[in-house]
Amino acid sequence: MRKFLVNVNGTSYEVEVEEIKGDAAPVSAPAAKPQEQPAKRASAPASASTVAAPMPGTVVGVNVKVGDSFKRGQVLLVLEAMKMENEILAPRDGRVVAVNTSKGASVNSGDILVAFE
């Protein structure tokens, strides 16, 4: 056993680590899981305005589809973050030209969710 002093967030801990020499059994890597294909992103004109995710979370509802018209303050989608459902509202009147997410999708802060004109 070898002893080490480890400092974590300003608190010191004394730890003992066993050193293995010789014919140690190799550790195998976990089997790789197939990755899900990301949802295809709808293309939007360069002049389109966008609504981005204000925080990381999971989309629990999408209330609009391409071609829908909406009014300022209308709920476009619902994003769950930290066990709270957050309504993502339309910043102004418009018409949806692209929806870049779907129900159940995980999004990061700043991801473009909806494009509109």
Side-chain angles (χ1 to χ4, degrees):
M1 291 283 203
R2 294 182 64 189
K3 289 186 179 184
F4 294 92
L5 187 61
V6 179
N7 187 342
V8 178
N9 294 331
T11 304
S12 294
Y13 299 93
E14 185 176 312
V15 296
E16 290 184 11
V17 179
E18 183 177 355
E19 185 175 353
I20 300 175
K21 294 183 180 178
D23 296 334
V27 176
S28 62
K33 295 191 314 187
Q35 291 184 341
E36 293 180 19
Q37 293 294 330
K40 286 190 175 185
R41 300 292 187 221
S43 60
S47 62
S49 298
T50 59
V51 174
M55 65 196 85
T58 302
V59 176
V60 294
V62 179
N63 299 344
V64 293
K65 60 184 181 306
V66 174
D68 286 355
S69 292
F70 56 85
K71 298 286 183 189
R72 181 177 189 254
Q74 181 177 334
V75 178
L76 300 177
L77 39 86
V78 179
L79 181 67
E80 181 183 289
M82 296 174 42
K83 303 291 182 191
M84 293 183 64
E85 291 187 357
N86 302 280
E87 294 179 333
I88 308 302
L89 306 176
R92 63 176 174 82
D93 294 355
R95 186 179 60 82
V96 178
V97 294
V99 177
N100 294 334
T101 192
S102 60
K103 184 176 180 178
S106 292
V107 297
N108 292 316
S109 183
D111 286 355
I112 303 302
L113 304 174
V114 176
F116 63 94
E117 322 181 293

XYZ file of all heavy atoms in Angstrom:
849
model
N 0.839 -1.176 0.000
C 0.000 0.000 0.000
C 0.881 1.236 0.000
O 1.861 1.304 0.705
C -0.881 0.045 1.249
C -1.955 -0.991 1.309
S -3.276 -0.485 0.245
C -4.599 -1.376 0.946
N 0.447 2.217 -0.775
C 1.121 3.504 -0.789
C 0.133 4.546 -0.314
O -1.053 4.483 -0.616
C 1.591 3.841 -2.200
C 2.674 2.879 -2.692
C 3.183 3.228 -4.055
N 3.844 4.532 -4.026
C 4.242 5.175 -5.113
N 4.044 4.654 -6.290
N 4.841 6.335 -5.016
N 0.606 5.491 0.461
C -0.246 6.539 0.997
C -0.021 7.825 0.209
O 1.104 8.150 -0.161
C 0.061 6.787 2.474
C -0.395 5.674 3.377
C -0.204 6.048 4.824
C -0.691 4.915 5.715
N -0.615 5.285 7.126
N -1.149 8.534 -0.034
C -1.097 9.806 -0.738
C -1.960 10.806 0.020
O -2.935 10.438 0.672
C -1.640 9.678 -2.172
C -0.788 8.813 -3.057
C -1.038 7.459 -3.194
C 0.257 9.368 -3.779
C -0.264 6.669 -4.015
C 1.035 8.577 -4.610
C 0.777 7.222 -4.728
N -1.609 12.060 -0.087
C -2.414 13.136 0.466
C -3.089 13.819 -0.718
O -2.428 14.318 -1.627
C -1.539 14.132 1.233
C -2.264 15.210 1.998
C -3.172 14.595 3.063
C -1.275 16.150 2.661
N -4.440 13.804 -0.736
C -5.212 14.356 -1.845
C -5.990 15.561 -1.336
O -6.649 15.487 -0.301
C -6.185 13.291 -2.413
C -7.004 13.869 -3.544
C -5.422 12.064 -2.876
N -5.914 16.675 -2.067
C -6.622 17.887 -1.696
C -7.807 18.055 -2.632
O -7.640 18.165 -3.841
C -5.683 19.087 -1.801
C -6.302 20.347 -1.263
O -7.508 20.450 -1.104
N -5.454 21.329 -1.013
N -9.054 18.068 -2.072
C -10.271 18.228 -2.861
C -11.035 19.425 -2.328
O -11.484 19.423 -1.176
C -11.152 16.952 -2.788
C -12.443 17.142 -3.564
C -10.392 15.738 -3.279
N -11.151 20.459 -3.142
C -11.880 21.674 -2.757
C -11.424 22.225 -1.413
O -12.223 22.586 -0.563
C -13.397 21.428 -2.734
C -13.952 21.135 -4.099
O -13.419 21.603 -5.097
N -15.007 20.358 -4.156
N -10.143 22.242 -1.173
C -9.601 22.812 0.052
C -9.563 21.871 1.233
O -9.071 22.228 2.299
N -10.072 20.649 1.098
C -10.045 19.675 2.182
C -9.047 18.587 1.833
O -9.088 18.016 0.741
C -11.436 19.036 2.387
O -12.392 20.085 2.612
C -11.445 18.086 3.557
N -8.133 18.291 2.761
C -7.113 17.269 2.522
C -7.587 15.915 3.024
O -8.185 15.814 4.097
C -5.810 17.644 3.232
O -5.268 18.818 2.659
N -7.331 14.885 2.230
C -7.681 13.518 2.579
C -6.440 12.644 2.420
O -5.690 12.782 1.456
C -8.773 12.959 1.655
C -10.065 13.726 1.709
C -10.320 14.763 0.806
C -11.039 13.417 2.649
C -11.509 15.464 0.842
C -12.236 14.115 2.698
C -12.466 15.135 1.788
O -13.644 15.818 1.829
N -6.229 11.738 3.375
C -5.155 10.774 3.265
C -5.757 9.496 2.709
O -6.721 8.961 3.244
C -4.537 10.493 4.639
C -3.320 9.587 4.549
C -2.655 9.406 5.902
O -2.433 10.421 6.594
O -2.387 8.255 6.240
N -5.214 9.030 1.582
C -5.746 7.829 0.946
C -4.647 6.794 0.795
O -3.471 7.130 0.663
C -6.368 8.143 -0.438
C -7.568 9.050 -0.318
C -5.350 8.759 -1.383
N -5.047 5.532 0.825
C -4.122 4.431 0.591
C -4.486 3.772 -0.722
O -5.656 3.496 -0.989
C -4.217 3.402 1.724
C -3.675 3.898 3.035
C -3.702 2.827 4.116
O -3.943 1.641 3.804
O -3.480 3.191 5.271
N -3.473 3.522 -1.527
C -3.681 2.914 -2.831
C -2.802 1.676 -2.923
O -1.610 1.726 -2.627
C -3.317 3.912 -3.963
C -3.506 3.282 -5.330
C -4.133 5.176 -3.846
N -3.413 0.576 -3.334
C -2.661 -0.665 -3.484
C -2.012 -0.673 -4.855
O -2.659 -0.415 -5.877
C -3.597 -1.868 -3.348
C -2.865 -3.189 -3.430
C -3.794 -4.375 -3.232
O -4.980 -4.172 -2.932
O -3.328 -5.494 -3.394
N -0.719 -0.946 -4.862
C 0.022 -1.003 -6.111
C 0.088 -2.450 -6.562
O 0.487 -3.334 -5.799
C 1.434 -0.438 -5.907
C 2.233 -0.347 -7.178
C 3.580 0.326 -6.958
O 3.826 0.835 -5.853
O 4.373 0.331 -7.898
N -0.326 -2.710 -7.800
C -0.324 -4.069 -8.332
C 0.858 -4.192 -9.284
O 1.010 -3.401 -10.209
C -1.638 -4.374 -9.080
C -2.810 -4.228 -8.129
C -1.603 -5.753 -9.689
C -4.154 -4.386 -8.785
N 1.694 -5.203 -9.022
C 2.864 -5.420 -9.868
C 2.745 -6.793 -10.520
O 2.065 -7.677 -10.025
C 4.140 -5.367 -9.039
C 4.421 -4.001 -8.465
C 5.726 -3.985 -7.726
C 5.962 -2.591 -7.169
N 7.178 -2.502 -6.404
N 3.432 -6.955 -11.615
C 3.496 -8.269 -12.237
C 2.349 -8.519 -13.195
O 1.972 -7.673 -13.983
N 1.791 -9.739 -13.106
C 0.776 -10.177 -14.051
C -0.631 -9.800 -13.606
O -1.451 -10.649 -13.284
C 0.847 -11.696 -14.263
C 2.159 -12.112 -14.899
O 2.757 -11.270 -15.598
O 2.568 -13.263 -14.708
N -0.889 -8.542 -13.565
C -2.237 -8.086 -13.204
C -3.152 -8.320 -14.392
O -2.771 -8.134 -15.546
C -2.222 -6.609 -12.852
N -4.346 -8.746 -14.120
C -5.310 -8.994 -15.190
C -5.693 -7.654 -15.825
O -5.999 -6.698 -15.126
C -6.551 -9.677 -14.628
N -5.654 -7.595 -17.149
C -6.023 -6.341 -17.797
C -7.510 -6.053 -17.610
O -8.327 -6.955 -17.568
C -5.685 -6.577 -19.268
C -5.709 -8.056 -19.429
C -5.301 -8.629 -18.093
N -7.810 -4.794 -17.492
C -9.197 -4.376 -17.354
C -9.752 -4.165 -18.756
O -9.174 -3.437 -19.550
C -9.291 -3.069 -16.544
C -10.720 -2.577 -16.475
C -8.704 -3.265 -15.162
N -10.866 -4.827 -19.051
C -11.443 -4.675 -20.384
C -12.363 -3.466 -20.410
O -13.008 -3.146 -19.425
C -12.219 -5.930 -20.782
O -13.292 -6.127 -19.890
N -12.413 -2.833 -21.546
C -13.280 -1.669 -21.716
C -14.720 -2.138 -21.846
O -14.980 -3.209 -22.372
C -12.869 -0.901 -22.965
N -15.669 -1.343 -21.359
C -17.064 -1.729 -21.513
C -17.457 -1.767 -22.983
O -16.903 -1.039 -23.801
C -17.837 -0.642 -20.771
C -16.904 0.497 -20.636
C -15.521 -0.079 -20.684
N -18.399 -2.628 -23.311
C -18.849 -2.749 -24.693
C -19.483 -1.432 -25.136
O -20.222 -0.803 -24.386
C -19.869 -3.878 -24.814
N -19.157 -1.035 -26.338
C -19.689 0.226 -26.852
C -21.156 0.061 -27.214
O -21.544 -0.924 -27.827
C -18.895 0.649 -28.083
N -21.960 1.021 -26.796
C -23.370 1.000 -27.145
C -23.537 1.736 -28.460
O -22.850 2.723 -28.719
C -24.210 1.699 -26.065
C -24.178 0.987 -24.743
C -25.183 1.492 -23.749
C -25.278 2.960 -23.609
N -26.136 3.449 -22.549
N -24.447 1.281 -29.299
C -24.661 2.015 -30.550
C -25.209 3.399 -30.246
O -26.051 3.569 -29.375
C -25.698 1.168 -31.297
C -26.296 0.260 -30.279
C -25.302 0.128 -29.171
N -24.688 4.378 -30.944
C -25.120 5.744 -30.716
C -26.385 6.023 -31.508
O -26.555 5.548 -32.630
C -24.043 6.736 -31.139
C -22.834 6.686 -30.245
C -21.838 7.758 -30.632
O -21.874 8.276 -31.722
N -20.942 8.076 -29.731
N -27.277 6.821 -30.893
C -28.490 7.217 -31.589
C -28.122 8.235 -32.652
O -27.246 9.071 -32.454
C -29.474 7.856 -30.620
C -30.023 6.896 -29.602
C -31.007 7.585 -28.671
O -31.511 8.669 -29.021
O -31.250 7.037 -27.604
N -28.810 8.143 -33.769
C -28.594 9.132 -34.817
C -29.271 10.422 -34.410
O -30.422 10.404 -33.981
C -29.192 8.640 -36.150
C -28.472 7.438 -36.725
C -27.063 7.773 -37.141
O -26.756 8.890 -37.520
N -26.180 6.790 -37.059
N -28.576 11.555 -34.501
C -29.224 12.812 -34.147
C -30.365 13.104 -35.116
O -30.313 12.714 -36.278
C -28.106 13.853 -34.275
C -27.070 13.215 -35.119
C -27.209 11.730 -34.943
N -31.379 13.797 -34.598
C -32.511 14.158 -35.443
C -32.031 15.079 -36.556
O -31.165 15.923 -36.345
C -33.577 14.857 -34.613
N -32.566 14.888 -37.745
C -32.193 15.755 -38.848
C -32.693 17.160 -38.567
O -33.800 17.350 -38.098
C -32.788 15.244 -40.163
C -32.093 14.024 -40.690
C -32.549 13.724 -42.082
C -31.738 12.568 -42.632
N -32.062 12.300 -44.022
N -31.853 18.126 -38.846
C -32.199 19.511 -38.616
C -32.842 20.062 -39.881
O -32.318 19.896 -40.979
C -30.954 20.336 -38.266
C -30.243 19.841 -37.025
C -31.102 20.088 -35.812
N -30.376 19.766 -34.602
C -30.901 19.156 -33.583
N -32.140 18.764 -33.615
N -30.204 18.920 -32.507
N -33.971 20.709 -39.698
C -34.642 21.330 -40.830
C -33.849 22.571 -41.230
O -33.338 23.279 -40.381
C -36.066 21.700 -40.456
N -33.768 22.799 -42.531
C -33.042 23.990 -42.972
C -33.958 25.201 -42.868
O -35.166 25.096 -43.015
C -32.545 23.809 -44.404
O -33.647 23.595 -45.258
N -33.366 26.323 -42.586
C -34.114 27.565 -42.441
C -33.397 28.655 -43.218
O -32.174 28.635 -43.337
C -34.209 27.954 -40.973
N -34.150 29.607 -43.755
C -33.501 30.705 -44.469
C -32.569 31.482 -43.543
O -32.811 31.559 -42.336
C -34.672 31.591 -44.915
C -35.917 30.819 -44.665
C -35.587 29.717 -43.719
N -31.534 32.055 -44.112
C -30.569 32.810 -43.316
C -31.229 34.011 -42.643
O -30.776 34.468 -41.592
C -29.420 33.277 -44.201
N -32.312 34.515 -43.221
C -32.986 35.689 -42.656
C -33.932 35.334 -41.507
O -34.489 36.223 -40.873
C -33.776 36.403 -43.757
O -34.779 35.533 -44.256
N -34.115 34.040 -41.232
C -35.058 33.611 -40.195
C -34.536 33.947 -38.800
O -33.352 33.905 -38.532
C -35.305 32.110 -40.298
N -35.457 34.285 -37.908
C -35.132 34.483 -36.493
C -35.200 33.120 -35.814
O -35.808 32.185 -36.336
C -36.144 35.426 -35.843
O -36.098 36.687 -36.455
N -34.593 33.014 -34.650
C -34.571 31.719 -33.971
C -34.932 31.853 -32.499
O -34.829 32.927 -31.918
C -33.175 31.065 -34.073
O -32.210 31.938 -33.477
C -32.795 30.763 -35.510
N -35.358 30.734 -31.932
C -35.582 30.607 -30.498
C -34.606 29.546 -30.021
O -34.609 28.423 -30.530
C -37.032 30.192 -30.176
C -37.199 29.929 -28.693
C -38.006 31.262 -30.641
N -33.744 29.899 -29.071
C -32.724 28.986 -28.574
C -33.091 28.489 -27.175
O -33.846 29.146 -26.448
C -31.370 29.680 -28.533
N -32.547 27.347 -26.805
C -32.768 26.800 -25.469
C -32.071 27.694 -24.449
O -30.880 27.961 -24.576
C -32.216 25.381 -25.380
N -32.800 28.166 -23.433
C -32.187 29.036 -22.442
C -31.337 28.278 -21.431
O -30.548 28.877 -20.710
C -33.383 29.684 -21.752
C -34.482 28.692 -21.916
C -34.227 28.008 -23.227
N -31.495 26.951 -21.377
C -30.775 26.114 -20.415
C -30.759 24.686 -20.939
O -31.560 24.332 -21.791
C -31.465 26.163 -19.051
C -32.856 25.551 -19.074
S -33.857 25.966 -17.666
C -34.524 27.523 -18.177
N -29.856 23.846 -20.438
C -29.882 22.443 -20.837
C -31.107 21.758 -20.243
O -31.556 22.110 -19.154
C -28.596 21.866 -20.239
C -27.973 22.909 -19.413
C -28.750 24.168 -19.555
N -31.653 20.795 -20.969
C -32.814 20.075 -20.464
C -33.340 19.092 -21.480
O -32.687 18.776 -22.473
N -34.564 18.616 -21.230
C -35.228 17.650 -22.097
C -36.528 18.256 -22.607
O -37.311 18.794 -21.829
C -35.541 16.358 -21.320
O -34.322 15.833 -20.796
C -36.192 15.322 -22.216
N -36.740 18.159 -23.901
C -37.967 18.677 -24.501
C -39.103 17.717 -24.150
O -39.032 16.533 -24.455
C -37.820 18.813 -26.026
C -39.120 19.270 -26.661
C -36.681 19.766 -26.371
N -40.137 18.231 -23.473
C -41.274 17.380 -23.085
C -42.510 17.661 -23.931
O -43.492 16.928 -23.828
C -41.603 17.486 -21.580
C -40.476 16.929 -20.749
C -41.926 18.893 -21.178
N -42.462 18.679 -24.744
C -43.590 18.965 -25.625
C -43.232 19.989 -26.676
O -42.566 20.972 -26.383
N -43.662 19.729 -27.912
C -43.476 20.672 -29.008
C -44.869 21.058 -29.477
O -45.635 20.200 -29.915
C -42.653 20.055 -30.165
C -42.496 21.052 -31.302
C -41.291 19.590 -29.669
N -45.229 22.327 -29.366
C -46.585 22.779 -29.657
C -46.764 23.355 -31.054
O -47.864 23.782 -31.391
C -47.016 23.829 -28.626
C -47.029 23.268 -27.218
O -47.015 22.064 -27.013
N -47.046 24.152 -26.245
N -45.697 23.423 -31.852
C -45.795 23.988 -33.201
C -45.144 23.042 -34.199
O -44.341 22.186 -33.830
C -45.107 25.372 -33.282
C -45.843 26.400 -32.448
C -43.645 25.301 -32.869
N -45.514 23.233 -35.454
C -44.879 22.488 -36.541
C -44.603 23.469 -37.682
O -45.106 24.598 -37.667
C -45.743 21.314 -36.990
C -47.104 21.668 -37.510
C -47.907 20.414 -37.821
C -49.277 20.702 -38.372
N -50.122 21.574 -37.620
N -43.823 23.060 -38.641
C -43.463 23.924 -39.760
C -44.735 24.411 -40.448
O -45.645 23.631 -40.720
C -42.543 23.184 -40.750
C -42.278 24.030 -41.984
C -41.237 22.811 -40.074
N -44.785 25.711 -40.685
C -45.933 26.322 -41.356
C -46.933 26.954 -40.403
O -47.774 27.758 -40.823
N -46.876 26.607 -39.116
C -47.803 27.182 -38.133
C -47.509 28.665 -37.916
O -46.354 29.072 -37.853
C -47.683 26.481 -36.779
C -48.309 25.101 -36.756
O -48.930 24.714 -37.771
O -48.178 24.415 -35.728
N -48.577 29.445 -37.783
C -48.439 30.847 -37.383
C -48.643 30.919 -35.882
O -49.368 30.103 -35.305
C -49.493 31.703 -38.084
O -49.224 31.753 -39.461
N -48.002 31.894 -35.232
C -48.139 32.035 -33.788
C -48.091 33.509 -33.415
O -47.680 34.349 -34.206
C -47.046 31.248 -33.048
C -45.646 31.624 -33.461
C -45.003 32.700 -32.882
C -44.978 30.898 -34.434
C -43.717 33.051 -33.261
C -43.697 31.246 -34.826
C -43.061 32.325 -34.234
N -48.554 33.801 -32.214
C -48.586 35.164 -31.684
C -47.520 35.316 -30.610
O -47.108 34.334 -29.976
C -49.954 35.481 -31.077
C -51.096 35.429 -32.049
C -51.052 36.626 -32.945
C -52.246 36.625 -33.891
N -52.135 37.634 -34.903
N -47.110 36.542 -30.369
C -46.138 36.848 -29.317
C -46.654 36.311 -27.984
O -47.813 36.483 -27.638
C -45.943 38.350 -29.224
C -44.942 38.767 -28.185
C -44.775 40.280 -28.225
N -43.673 40.667 -27.393
C -43.824 41.248 -26.196
N -45.021 41.489 -25.722
N -42.769 41.572 -25.499
N -45.789 35.608 -27.235
C -46.155 35.063 -25.929
C -46.769 33.683 -25.971
O -46.978 33.068 -24.925
N -47.036 33.153 -27.167
C -47.591 31.798 -27.286
C -46.519 30.776 -26.919
O -45.335 30.956 -27.209
C -48.078 31.561 -28.715
C -48.697 30.200 -28.953
C -49.231 30.068 -30.376
O -49.580 31.051 -31.023
N -49.277 28.837 -30.854
N -46.916 29.670 -26.272
C -45.977 28.614 -25.893
C -45.596 27.822 -27.138
O -46.450 27.206 -27.775
C -46.582 27.680 -24.826
C -45.609 26.564 -24.490
C -46.962 28.457 -23.575
N -44.306 27.848 -27.494
C -43.825 27.098 -28.648
C -43.466 25.675 -28.259
O -43.745 24.735 -28.990
C -42.603 27.798 -29.264
C -42.823 29.223 -29.759
C -41.518 29.809 -30.266
C -43.896 29.255 -30.830
N -42.808 25.514 -27.108
C -42.467 24.190 -26.608
C -42.230 24.247 -25.119
O -42.172 25.312 -24.531
C -41.279 23.574 -27.341
C -40.087 24.419 -27.750
C -39.085 24.543 -26.655
C -39.450 23.762 -28.937
N -42.129 23.069 -24.523
C -41.917 22.966 -23.077
C -40.610 22.213 -22.855
O -40.385 21.145 -23.437
C -43.097 22.241 -22.386
C -42.845 22.129 -20.892
C -44.406 22.966 -22.667
N -39.756 22.778 -22.016
C -38.432 22.223 -21.727
C -38.356 21.888 -20.241
O -38.615 22.747 -19.398
C -37.366 23.260 -22.093
C -35.913 22.894 -21.890
C -35.515 21.777 -22.843
C -35.034 24.107 -22.135
N -38.020 20.641 -19.930
C -37.856 20.250 -18.528
C -36.390 20.366 -18.148
O -35.515 19.813 -18.811
C -38.316 18.811 -18.310
C -38.193 18.378 -16.861
C -38.571 16.932 -16.649
O -39.758 16.606 -16.742
O -37.642 16.131 -16.403
N -36.152 21.099 -17.070
C -34.794 21.258 -16.552
C -34.879 21.242 -15.038
O -35.691 21.965 -14.449
C -34.179 22.568 -17.041
N -34.092 20.406 -14.408
C -34.051 20.290 -12.950
C -35.447 20.011 -12.382
O -35.877 20.631 -11.420
C -33.439 21.551 -12.336
C -31.995 21.736 -12.748
S -31.219 23.274 -12.230
C -31.766 23.502 -10.582
N -36.172 19.088 -13.016
C -37.500 18.645 -12.572
C -38.562 19.730 -12.659
O -39.616 19.612 -12.056
C -37.457 18.075 -11.146
C -36.491 16.932 -10.968
C -36.971 15.724 -11.711
C -36.007 14.567 -11.471
N -36.244 13.466 -12.324
N -38.292 20.796 -13.395
C -39.285 21.852 -13.583
C -39.565 22.003 -15.065
O -38.650 21.953 -15.886
C -38.784 23.192 -13.020
C -38.631 23.193 -11.523
S -38.136 24.799 -10.902
C -39.559 25.767 -11.336
N -40.845 22.186 -15.401
C -41.214 22.407 -16.794
C -41.202 23.900 -17.084
O -41.835 24.683 -16.379
C -42.576 21.794 -17.086
C -42.539 20.283 -17.057
C -43.826 19.642 -17.517
O -44.800 20.363 -17.824
O -43.857 18.397 -17.570
N -40.466 24.291 -18.109
C -40.313 25.692 -18.491
C -40.940 25.900 -19.860
O -40.557 25.224 -20.824
C -38.829 26.068 -18.554
C -38.134 25.829 -17.243
O -38.242 26.628 -16.338
N -37.437 24.703 -17.111
N -41.886 26.823 -19.952
C -42.510 27.123 -21.232
C -41.605 28.063 -22.017
O -41.160 29.089 -21.493
C -43.876 27.770 -21.012
C -44.876 26.836 -20.357
C -46.220 27.492 -20.113
O -46.276 28.737 -19.960
O -47.209 26.751 -20.060
N -41.333 27.690 -23.255
C -40.528 28.531 -24.139
C -41.521 29.319 -24.993
O -42.261 28.738 -25.791
C -39.571 27.690 -25.017
C -38.743 26.726 -24.153
C -38.697 28.591 -25.866
C -37.910 27.377 -23.080
N -41.545 30.637 -24.808
C -42.538 31.498 -25.430
C -42.007 32.157 -26.693
O -40.807 32.413 -26.828
C -42.978 32.578 -24.439
C -43.475 32.090 -23.084
C -43.786 33.277 -22.180
C -44.686 31.195 -23.236
N -42.941 32.482 -27.601
C -42.591 33.188 -28.830
C -42.234 34.633 -28.499
O -42.986 35.310 -27.796
C -43.765 33.144 -29.798
N -41.095 35.118 -28.986
C -40.689 36.495 -28.688
C -41.497 37.540 -29.466
O -41.562 38.698 -29.073
C -39.221 36.525 -29.097
C -39.085 35.450 -30.114
C -40.088 34.397 -29.742
N -42.109 37.127 -30.580
C -42.934 38.023 -31.403
C -43.842 37.172 -32.284
O -43.722 35.955 -32.292
C -42.062 38.954 -32.243
C -41.173 38.233 -33.256
C -40.417 39.247 -34.128
N -39.465 38.617 -35.013
C -39.772 38.064 -36.186
N -41.005 38.040 -36.614
N -38.831 37.529 -36.950
N -44.740 37.813 -33.015
C -45.599 37.096 -33.963
C -44.734 36.528 -35.080
O -43.697 37.114 -35.433
C -46.637 38.036 -34.585
C -47.648 38.562 -33.571
O -47.602 38.127 -32.401
O -48.479 39.388 -33.958
N -45.144 35.409 -35.648
C -44.380 34.839 -36.744
C -44.977 33.573 -37.293
O -46.093 33.171 -36.944
N -44.199 32.940 -38.183
C -44.583 31.676 -38.807
C -43.375 30.749 -38.742
O -42.254 31.137 -39.096
C -44.993 31.902 -40.263
C -45.542 30.652 -40.951
C -45.969 30.936 -42.389
N -44.875 31.408 -43.215
C -43.969 30.608 -43.801
N -44.020 29.313 -43.638
N -42.999 31.130 -44.535
N -43.595 29.523 -38.299
C -42.516 28.554 -38.113
C -41.981 28.102 -39.475
O -42.749 27.700 -40.345
C -43.015 27.325 -37.312
C -41.909 26.297 -37.175
C -43.548 27.745 -35.955
N -40.646 28.179 -39.643
C -40.019 27.685 -40.870
C -39.175 26.441 -40.614
O -38.848 25.713 -41.543
C -39.164 28.771 -41.577
C -40.055 29.893 -42.079
C -38.078 29.305 -40.676
N -38.838 26.179 -39.336
C -38.076 24.966 -39.012
C -38.230 24.651 -37.526
O -38.240 25.553 -36.698
C -36.596 25.145 -39.353
N -38.372 23.361 -37.236
C -38.374 22.881 -35.855
C -37.186 21.938 -35.746
O -37.132 20.920 -36.437
C -39.689 22.152 -35.496
C -39.629 21.616 -34.081
C -40.882 23.091 -35.665
N -36.202 22.268 -34.903
C -34.954 21.523 -34.825
C -34.877 20.586 -33.630
O -33.783 20.226 -33.197
C -33.767 22.489 -34.775
C -33.620 23.254 -36.064
O -34.023 22.794 -37.116
N -33.073 24.436 -35.983
N -36.000 20.195 -33.070
C -36.000 19.301 -31.924
C -37.269 18.467 -31.950
O -38.140 18.679 -32.793
C -35.868 20.096 -30.607
O -35.604 19.197 -29.546
C -37.111 20.916 -30.324
N -37.362 17.540 -31.041
C -38.552 16.698 -30.941
C -38.759 16.315 -29.481
O -37.864 16.468 -28.650
C -38.390 15.445 -31.801
O -37.272 14.708 -31.364
N -39.951 15.809 -29.181
C -40.270 15.403 -27.819
C -39.282 14.336 -27.367
O -38.977 13.399 -28.093
C -41.700 14.863 -27.759
C -42.149 14.519 -26.367
C -43.605 14.085 -26.351
C -44.018 13.749 -24.931
N -45.436 13.378 -24.868
N -38.741 14.498 -26.164
C -37.788 13.549 -25.607
C -36.330 13.869 -25.894
O -35.436 13.238 -25.339
N -36.084 14.851 -26.757
C -34.707 15.202 -27.118
C -34.030 15.973 -25.987
O -34.644 16.795 -25.320
C -34.691 16.041 -28.387
N -32.754 15.694 -25.782
C -31.944 16.464 -24.832
C -31.320 17.622 -25.584
O -30.819 17.441 -26.699
C -30.837 15.597 -24.239
O -31.393 14.605 -23.423
N -31.371 18.806 -24.987
C -30.799 19.984 -25.624
C -29.837 20.669 -24.663
O -29.946 20.523 -23.449
C -31.890 20.983 -26.082
C -32.780 20.365 -27.139
C -32.721 21.476 -24.911
N -28.900 21.390 -25.221
C -27.948 22.173 -24.437
C -28.329 23.640 -24.519
O -29.028 24.065 -25.438
C -26.527 21.986 -24.978
C -26.020 20.596 -24.742
O -26.181 20.043 -23.664
N -25.425 19.996 -25.776
N -27.835 24.403 -23.593
C -28.081 25.834 -23.591
C -27.567 26.433 -24.906
O -26.453 26.150 -25.334
C -27.339 26.464 -22.407
O -27.606 27.826 -22.338
N -28.407 27.213 -25.568
C -28.009 27.848 -26.825
C -28.378 27.076 -28.064
O -28.274 27.608 -29.169
N -28.819 25.818 -27.934
C -29.239 25.051 -29.116
C -30.454 25.727 -29.748
O -31.374 26.145 -29.051
C -29.613 23.615 -28.746
C -28.415 22.738 -28.444
O -27.275 23.206 -28.612
O -28.627 21.582 -28.044
N -30.476 25.813 -31.082
C -31.597 26.408 -31.792
C -32.741 25.404 -31.809
O -32.586 24.275 -32.292
C -31.214 26.795 -33.231
C -30.016 27.744 -33.239
C -32.402 27.398 -33.973
C -30.208 29.018 -32.470
N -33.887 25.798 -31.278
C -35.044 24.920 -31.178
C -36.025 25.158 -32.323
O -36.521 24.210 -32.928
C -35.756 25.122 -29.848
C -34.888 24.935 -28.594
C -35.670 25.317 -27.352
C -34.378 23.517 -28.514
N -36.321 26.426 -32.605
C -37.302 26.785 -33.629
C -36.777 27.972 -34.425
O -36.197 28.897 -33.854
C -38.667 27.157 -32.983
C -39.662 27.618 -34.027
C -39.222 26.002 -32.180
N -36.978 27.922 -35.747
C -36.652 29.066 -36.597
C -37.972 29.595 -37.157
O -38.875 28.820 -37.476
C -35.721 28.652 -37.737
N -38.092 30.922 -37.240
C -39.333 31.505 -37.726
C -39.081 32.796 -38.493
O -38.012 33.375 -38.422
C -40.301 31.762 -36.544
C -39.784 32.748 -35.548
C -40.130 34.090 -35.640
C -38.967 32.358 -34.502
C -39.650 35.002 -34.698
C -38.491 33.250 -33.577
C -38.844 34.592 -33.673
N -40.109 33.209 -39.266
C -40.030 34.464 -40.023
C -41.084 35.394 -39.497
O -42.104 35.005 -39.003
C -40.277 34.274 -41.499
C -39.723 33.051 -42.119
C -40.004 32.974 -43.603
O -41.169 32.824 -43.980
O -39.024 33.076 -44.362
